Amino acid sequence: DAVYAIGNNRFEGRDKIAAFYARRHHGTVVTRHLLSNLRVAADSKTAARAAGLMTLYRAHGRSPFQGARPPAMIADFEAHCVLAEGYGWRFQSHVLRPFIVGNDMPASVMINAHSL
């Protein structure tokens, strides 16, 4: 019953989230997600949340890359997690609110969530 949301794209449930990640593995794009201003809080003994700023860099080819590349996306994020007995901590929701999206749009923004 998890949710992964990026802007207006919502991937709800295990099958939709798995389909999104399976589709991302095609091609030669390499990414690096940088998290800053990370804040983590316990809501209870079995629930927690994390929030902060994510900057996404991406490029085609193999690392290391030559030349300057602007971020593909800068977004606020908030994640809610639950402690699943026997499985450890799991994401209940992970929501990204983009406020800058570059010309090299990330798959999470381009993929139509309804088509998966």
Side-chain angles (χ1 to χ4, degrees), residues 17-33:
I17 295 170
F20 164 73
Y21 279 104
R23 187 163 175 186
R24 281 186 54 193
H25 290 292
H26 297 95
T28 60
V29 176
V30 177
T31 64
R32 179 69 72 207
H33 299 72

Side-chain angles (χ1 to χ4, degrees), residues 9-55:
N9 271 350
R10 288 181 64 86
F11 304 92
E12 297 188 44
R14 182 182 296 258
D15 292 340
K16 291 283 187 179
I17 295 170
F20 164 73
Y21 279 104
R23 187 163 175 186
R24 281 186 54 193
H25 290 292
H26 297 95
T28 60
V29 176
V30 177
T31 64
R32 179 69 72 207
H33 299 72
L34 304 178
L35 303 178
S36 59
N37 199 24
L38 183 63
R39 300 170 311 279
V40 179
D43 292 331
S44 70
K45 288 184 179 181
T46 60
R49 61 193 147 85
L53 179 72
M54 186 213 60
T55 304

